[in-house]
């Protein structure tokens, strides 16, 4: 079977740990592995802007002795002439051994993986998933904190349109962390993520009112949801109206993961997220908290905390190279990982539904994705590509 990575569920828990362990070995001397992927060729196909993801993938491949071809400017790719993604990846896939794809449509990587002969790695598909950023985030968290099991991670910012938090929330819960998701009401974690998380045995999601929110975030119009193992998550309500009070002072927040407002995806360009600054980090609940961010940051983290030892985002970004080296070694077939044979959640096909998400690959102007787009996993029918709720056809 070809080793695609289209979503974080494609890697078992043991595989996630295996990649981090391999990255630890590689990281000790990044120059010592130049023979691992000699003769391999990677195609970077970036149909959306990127700096870190593309360059860290390319650095990773080069460090392993492989070579790279790149299409990094959507304006100069044949997509502007109306070529379908399926044709593009079929061709690029025939030139190279594996394709790293970034695309503005949700579900694009899964669709592309159907058409490429070799592995496709999702480097971000619309507002859906960004599994390799999650590998970097988990790895950074593990290195900073020395473990993952039992950690409490606050996700803060644009959790609706930011794809990194979608993959990360899934991985954190699987690694035994609990999450406090804090966002304005239209920027909360989407239902396709929350409903997926609570399907795990023993995992709950509860609405809470953070009592000291105003002291900490200097605003009251943000909502909080606690997600994780039942015994680690504060008591709260089933719905927003039933949310129960909770004080952050009673809980140790091990890390805060901040994201920028995804203005290009409809999060509203004219608003700004509150700034995480020195005053924030000196408030009691965050005295021991490390700060992570997938970057790029815009205004949501003040530069004044860059020199604070708890500001871990630059160290986090640097780890993108060793963890992607590990991933490339697996995807190229030179390193094996323990993979579960059964998927985490068995999808069940249902007909008569159509995806209504205008940003889904099924609605992309060039694509002709098959009619039957819905799957059910015991809840509402969902699009099998972008996972958003589907409506009647
Ligand atoms: C993220 C992305 O592209 O989703 N960037 C990245 O890959 N490091 C986050 C973002 O753009 O906000």
């Amino acid at each position: 079977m070809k080793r695609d990575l289209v979503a974080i569920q494609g890697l078992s828990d043991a595989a996630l740990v295996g990649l981090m362990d391999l990255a630890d070995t590689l990281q000790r001397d990044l120059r010592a592995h130049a023979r691992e992927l000699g003769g391999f060729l990677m195609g970077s196909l970036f149909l959306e802007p990127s700096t870190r993801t593309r360059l860290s993938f390319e650095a990773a491949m080069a460090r392993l002795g492989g070579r790279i071809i790149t299409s990094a400017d959507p304006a100069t790719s044949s997509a502007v002439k109306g070529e379908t993604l399926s044709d593009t990846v079929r061709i690029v896939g025939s030139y190279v051994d594996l394709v790293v794809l970034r695309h503005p449509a949700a579900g694009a990587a899964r669709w592309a993986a159907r058409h490429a002969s070799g592995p496709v790695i999702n480097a971000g598909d619309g507002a859906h998933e960004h599994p390799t950023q999650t590998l970097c985030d988990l790895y950074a968290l593990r290195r900073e904190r020395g473990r993952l099991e039992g950690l409490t991670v606050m996700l803060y910012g644009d959790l609706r349109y930011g794809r990194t938090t979608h993959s990360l929330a899934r991985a954190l819960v699987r690694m035994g962390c609990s999450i406090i998701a804090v966002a304005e009401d239209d920027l909360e974690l989407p239902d396709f993520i929350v409903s997926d998380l609570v399907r795990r045995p023993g995992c709950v999601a509860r609405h809470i009112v953070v009592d000291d929110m105003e002291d900490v975030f200097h605003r009251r119009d943000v909502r909080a949801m606690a997600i994780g193992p039942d015994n680690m998550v504060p008591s709260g309500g089933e719905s927003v109206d039933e949310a129960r009070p909770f004080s952050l002072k009673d809980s140790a927040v091990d890390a805060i993961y901040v994201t920028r407002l995804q203005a290009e995806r409809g999060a509203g360009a004219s608003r700004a997220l509150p700034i995480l600054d020195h005053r924030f980090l000196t408030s009691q609940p965050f005295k021991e908290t490390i700060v992570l961010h997938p970057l790029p940051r815009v205004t949501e983290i003040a530069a004044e905390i860059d020199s604070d030892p708890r500001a871990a985002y630059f160290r986090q970004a640097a780890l993108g190279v060793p963890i992607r080296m590990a991933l490339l070694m697996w995807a190229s077939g030179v390193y094996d990982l323990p993979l579960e044979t059964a998927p985490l959640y068995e999808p069940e096909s249902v007909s008569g539904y159509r995806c209504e998400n205008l940003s889904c690959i099924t609605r992309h102007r060039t694509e002709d994705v098959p009619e039957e787009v819905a799957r059910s996993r015991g809840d509402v029918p969902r699009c099998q590509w972008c996972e958003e709720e589907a409506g009647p056809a």
Side-chain angles (χ1 to χ4, degrees), residues 92-338:
V92 177
S94 73
Y95 297 161
V96 299
D97 300 301
L98 65 97
V99 174
V100 178
L101 173 74
R102 172 168 287 191
H103 195 280
R110 192 179 297 279
W111 176 237
R114 286 244 179 129
H115 302 278
S117 51
V120 171
I121 297 177
N122 182 2
D125 61 332
H128 180 226
E129 277 232 21
H130 195 345
T132 73
Q133 181 63 44
T134 289
L135 293 177
C136 175
D137 302 338
L138 273 192
Y139 184 41
L141 187 59
R142 191 177 87 159
R143 284 184 71 93
E144 294 285 331
R145 285 287 174 220
R147 68 188 162 101
L148 291 172
E149 174 91 38
L151 296 182
T152 297
V153 179
M154 180 176 279
L155 304 180
Y156 176 58
D158 181 350
L159 312 185
R160 173 79 192 86
Y161 299 98
R163 54 196 169 201
T164 65
T165 52
H166 302 167
S167 308
L168 180 59
R170 289 177 144 153
L172 287 173
V173 164
R174 285 171 47 194
M175 293 287 109
C177 302
S178 74
I179 296 169
I180 301 178
V182 177
E184 292 170 31
D185 60 359
D186 57 339
L187 298 178
E188 289 177 295
L189 272 181
D191 182 58
F192 78 82
I193 292 295
V194 177
S195 66
D196 207 16
L197 299 180
V198 298
R199 201 166 290 110
R200 282 188 81 75
C203 182
V204 297
R206 298 187 184 121
H207 293 270
I208 52 176
V209 181
V210 180
D211 261 351
D212 29 12
M213 193 71 91
E214 202 164 3
D215 311 343
V216 173
F217 291 102
H218 313 295
R219 60 189 301 174
R220 290 209 71 85
D221 57 340
V222 281
R223 287 185 180 167
M225 184 185 259
I227 309 166
D230 204 349
N231 60 342
M232 277 178 70
V233 168
S235 58
E238 292 271 302
S239 69
V240 174
D241 298 336
E242 299 163 7
R244 301 238 196 100
F246 163 76
S247 172
L248 280 175
K249 293 193 182 81
D250 301 334
S251 129
V253 178
D254 297 288
I256 177 165
Y257 185 91
V258 187
T259 60
R260 79 181 163 93
L261 196 68
Q262 305 281 305
E264 73 275 33
R265 292 191 214 291
S270 56
R271 58 207 269 194
L273 292 175
I275 296 169
L276 199 130
D277 54 12
H278 186 64
R279 192 160 64 134
F280 177 99
L281 274 191
T282 48
S283 66
Q284 205 277 328
F286 298 104
K287 286 222 153 78
E288 304 284 320
T289 306
I290 59 155
V291 183
L292 298 170
H293 192 304
L295 304 177
R297 78 169 139 187
V298 188
T299 53
E300 61 285 348
I301 295 183
E304 67 182 22
I305 68 162
D306 289 357
S307 53
D308 187 300
R310 289 166 295 174
Y313 31 90
F314 296 130
R315 297 191 291 274
Q316 174 191 4
L319 294 173
V321 173
I323 196 72
R324 288 187 169 99
M325 287 168 75
L327 181 71
L328 289 174
M329 285 174 62
W330 167 74
S332 305
V334 305
Y335 189 81
D336 287 329
L337 289 170

